[in-house]
Amino acid sequence: MKKLFMLSMLISLAVLSSCQKQDSTAEQQLTERKAELDAREKALVAREKALVRKDRATATIRKLPVPAEGQTPDAAQLKAERDRRIQALPADAQAQMQGLIADPSQQADRESKIQERLAQRQRRVEELQKARMAHAIARRAAEASTTPSPAPFEAEATSPSPSPTPEP
């Protein structure tokens, strides 16, 4: 009887300890998931704050100073104002804004390249037209030399032919 009692106690102790091990692994997984979720939440909050800052900065840049009536804004003043506002932006937004703003010297260079390409294209079109005309002339000349002239046939058709038998 004592053996049976001891055996049942050992079994219940084993079941209890295995349940505690399962609970501890479940708790460990739960804490890991909670830590991952906390990290994601912090990253999202930081990202949201960065987007809000960026939106505020771009909103202030979009507002250009309105000149008083009768005044025309000075180009140097506008450039200084734009540069000041760009400096207030975060670094990543500054890089984007610098890429979007056209430099006048680069714009002039770009326009000259476009004009050069247009001139090259026009020259190519003219060369193609000349080549087509030359090809058409050559083809007509070749057709004219291979086609027999219709003059001999017309002469035979118009000339009276002698009849072999006299008419009564």
Side-chain angles (χ1 to χ4, degrees):
M1 192 77 168
K2 286 185 178 182
K3 288 184 180 184
L4 188 59
F5 180 71
M6 287 296 269
L7 184 61
S8 65
M9 289 298 283
L10 280 173
I11 290 173
S12 64
L13 185 63
V15 169
L16 184 63
S17 66
S18 68
C19 286
Q20 287 179 351
K21 286 182 182 178
Q22 288 176 356
D23 287 344
S24 66
T25 56
E27 286 178 16
Q28 186 180 11
Q29 288 176 350
L30 183 64
T31 54
E32 287 175 3
R33 286 184 183 172
K34 187 177 179 182
E36 288 175 7
L37 288 175
D38 288 341
R40 285 183 185 176
E41 185 179 355
K42 287 180 183 178
L44 285 174
V45 168
R47 188 174 177 187
E48 185 178 328
K49 286 180 182 179
L51 285 174
V52 168
R53 281 195 313 259
K54 186 177 179 182
D55 286 343
R56 286 180 187 164
T58 54
T60 58
I61 284 180
R62 289 182 187 151
K63 297 176 188 173
L64 293 176
V66 179
E69 288 186 34
Q71 287 184 337
T72 57
D74 185 22
Q77 288 176 340
L78 288 176
K79 187 174 188 310
E81 179 69 20
R82 184 188 71 211
D83 290 341
R84 184 186 63 77
R85 289 184 177 184
I86 288 174
Q87 293 300 323
L89 292 174
D92 59 340
Q94 285 181 13
Q96 288 177 350
M97 291 302 296
Q98 290 297 336
L100 293 175
I101 298 172
D103 185 23
S105 63
Q106 290 176 349
Q107 189 173 3
D109 187 38
R110 182 173 178 248
E111 288 178 9
S112 66
K113 286 181 181 180
I114 290 172
Q115 292 298 326
E116 182 180 322
R117 287 180 186 158
L118 286 173
Q120 287 176 351
R121 185 173 288 161
Q122 184 65 30
R123 285 192 298 266
R124 287 179 188 160
V125 166
E126 290 172 358
E127 289 173 3
L128 283 173
Q129 287 175 346
K130 287 178 184 177
R132 285 182 182 167
M133 290 296 290
H135 180 68
I137 291 171
R139 189 175 72 211
R140 287 181 187 153
E143 287 176 357
S145 66
T146 58
T147 307
S149 64
F153 294 114
E154 288 176 9
E156 289 177 10
T158 57
S159 64
S161 54
S163 51
T165 57
E167 287 188 27

